[in-house]
Amino acid sequence: MTSQNPVFIPGPTNMPEALRRACDLPTMDHRSSAFAEILHPALAGVKAVLKSTEAEVFIFPATGTAGWEAAITNTLSKGDKVLAARNGMFSHKWIDMCQRHGLDVQFVEVPWGEGLPVDQFAEILAADTGHEIKAVLATHNETATGVVSDVAGVRKALDAANHPALYFVDGVSSIGSMPFEFDAWGVDIAVTGSQKGFMLPAGLAIIGVSPKAMAAIEGATLSRTFLDIRDMKKGYEANAYPYTPSVGLLNGLKLACDMIEAEGLEKVFARHARIADGIRAAVKAWGLELCAVSPDLYSNTVSAIRTPEGFDASQIVSHAATRYGVAFGAGLGDVAGKVFRIGHLGMLTDVMALSGIATAEMVMVDLGLDIQLGSGVAAAQEVYRQSAASMAMAAE
Ligand SMILES: *Cc1c(COP(=O)(O)O)cnc(C)c1O
């Protein structure tokens, strides 16, 4: 597959050239002051992206999955009850991890394509007057189904029940691309990774931890060593890590945060919303439907697109790769073969998005689907033309 084409998978995302270069550093002593000048700005940059003044940020040489594990093992004990919902592959995997750690997971089965069951959570939390539930887990953006959930709504449910449970949010495919409010939403631990909104290679698990979650660490008895936040905190105080950090990736993260700040966080969100609008206009023009069941659930970072009954959607992914050298996302778990995914997060522009839409059309026509070449492209072009024109007017 050619590396000239952008990828349309929902992570790892396309890398800006400047970030690739920032990751490519000569060997450095990771206990020197030069490292401190990479580490601390990277931590501060993440904190700004989380929109938090109170979070402590920790970055492990790992991936988002380790961020889930850091959240639960640092704050919970064997047998603790946690509340979750299963509405896609990523929420499913987080639940599985909790079970393997011996947590008692109360989870609500939600049809894939729907969001977090905020009302059901509210009832469950209100009924839990003995406060047996120690943590609530929320997947902000289900990357498998292209569904964004109401993270603020779950916080409201916790507050309405006056419930003291910790609140953990998987923001791996939303943070840095869609509005995320660590402080305003009362998040206790936010989890992300380097290879999605931060536009870097995989290799960093990034978490923000509230003072309340920090206070839970001493009493928690699940075992952790590599992911022990206490060791990491002590390391940072000495401008170092408890082991060897990924210096190049951290330097990339520092620059990624600078780039997001330079573009403006709100403008980054608006760009993702606009690009996603164009993708959705194309899907509509094709006569296809999204896996997400209603517009309030539409993700601005990934669209999972249902293909007609009897058609194996995974063919789209393999044909696009072999014939055109373009990567789309396959359906996962319960929706494997039923959807294909267009990832539209990271450094994407309108023009790049148009190339992905055009490629998807060629692929679907090749495979015999009843799609008009150019129909989705034209629909997206209208969206992008109009928003470009109104941005130009606003700038005048
Ligand atoms: C990608 C992703 C993960 C997993 O992250 P890794 O970095 O692959 O471990 C977890 N949750 C969501 C929502 C994701 O999109």
Side-chain angles (χ1 to χ4, degrees):
M1 195 187 284
T2 171
S3 61
Q4 292 291 96
N5 291 328
V7 296
F8 295 95
I9 48 175
T13 63
N14 300 289
M15 282 186 276
E17 198 53 38
L19 289 187
R20 290 184 63 184
R21 283 199 301 270
C23 293
D24 182 6
L25 284 188
T27 305
M28 160 187 305
D29 176 5
H30 58 281
R31 301 189 190 283
S32 67
S33 59
F35 177 63
E37 283 163 29
I38 294 172
L39 173 65
H40 294 293
L43 296 171
V46 170
K47 199 166 153 169
V49 169
L50 292 177
K51 291 218 192 137
S52 181
T53 55
E54 60 169 29
E56 286 194 56
V57 174
F58 299 98
I59 304 171
F60 299 91
T63 72
T65 303
W68 291 338
E69 193 150 19
I72 61 177
T73 58
N74 278 284
T75 58
L76 299 171
S77 303
K78 202 173 167 68
D80 277 355
K81 192 178 222 182
V82 302
L83 176 63
R86 181 185 181 276
N87 68 331
M89 197 62 185
F90 293 94
S91 44
H92 166 75
K93 286 174 88 169
W94 203 3
I95 289 168
D96 173 61
M97 176 187 279
C98 290
Q99 289 170 332
R100 291 204 231 171
H101 275 287
L103 297 171
D104 172 13
V105 189
Q106 175 175 0
F107 66 93
V108 182
E109 278 288 0
V110 176
W112 289 31
E114 293 183 13
L116 281 175
V118 175
D119 294 343
Q120 251 171 302
F121 273 15
E123 281 168 31
I124 292 166
L125 291 165
D128 182 35
T129 50
H131 298 158
E132 269 182 53
I133 296 167
K134 300 300 177 209
V136 177
L137 312 184
T139 301
H140 184 206
N141 187 71
E142 236 316 336
T143 318
T145 57
V147 164
V148 64
S149 279
D150 183 7
V151 169
V154 174
R155 164 47 65 197
K156 278 194 205 119
L158 277 156
D159 290 349
N162 206 5
H163 201 294
L166 293 164
Y167 186 25
F168 300 160
V169 181
D170 172 347
V172 181
S173 60
S174 58
I175 290 170
S177 318
M178 286 194 281
F180 189 95
E181 306 264 352
F182 187 94
D183 289 358
W185 295 346
V187 175
D188 288 304
I189 300 186
V191 176
T192 189
S194 47
Q195 80 276 25
K196 297 194 182 170
F198 288 113
M199 307 167 283
L200 293 164
L204 299 176
I206 301 166
I207 60 172
V209 184
S210 74
K212 182 174 160 189
M214 289 300 295
I217 291 176
E218 280 313 320
T221 62
L222 281 186
S223 71
R224 69 273 191 185
T225 47
F226 184 80
L227 297 175
D228 198 321
I229 287 175
R230 292 168 297 190
D231 296 339
M232 196 56 101
K233 187 174 163 78
K234 238 181 270 161
Y236 291 173
E237 280 157 12
N239 299 324
Y241 260 53
Y243 32 72
T244 317
S246 319
V247 178
L249 279 175
L250 285 164
N251 194 51
L253 181 61
K254 173 184 161 187
L255 183 60
C257 293
D258 286 349
M259 284 170 65
I260 290 171
E261 196 198 304
E263 184 177 348
L265 196 50
E266 302 309 318
K267 287 204 173 133
V268 172
F269 299 156
R271 174 168 54 81
H272 281 81
R274 183 181 75 240
I275 287 173
D277 271 341
I279 302 276
R280 290 188 287 257
V283 172
K284 193 167 168 213
W286 295 332
L288 297 177
E289 296 206 333
L290 291 168
C291 181
V293 297
S294 59
D296 56 313
L297 301 174
Y298 292 167
S299 165
N300 286 341
T301 61
V302 55
S303 295
I305 299 156
R306 286 195 183 276
T307 51
E309 202 70 42
F311 178 86
D312 176 9
S314 67
Q315 284 185 74
I316 291 177
V317 178
S318 51
H319 186 82
T322 52
R323 180 95 29 121
Y324 300 109
V326 171
F328 292 107
L332 303 174
D334 290 9
V335 291
K338 297 181 181 153
V339 307
F340 75 101
R341 295 176 299 154
I342 301 182
H344 36 85
L345 75 162
M347 62 171 274
L348 236 50
T349 62
D350 300 4
V351 168
M352 289 163 86
L354 286 169
S355 73
I357 294 167
T359 308
E361 286 180 352
M362 293 194 286
V363 169
M364 290 189 286
V365 171
D366 288 351
L367 294 173
L369 289 181
D370 183 19
I371 303 269
Q372 187 67 44
L373 275 184
S375 59
V377 171
Q381 283 171 323
E382 275 309 323
V383 171
Y384 298 150
R385 275 183 66 239
Q386 281 168 20
S387 63
S390 58
M391 281 190 293
M393 288 233 301
E396 266 164 24

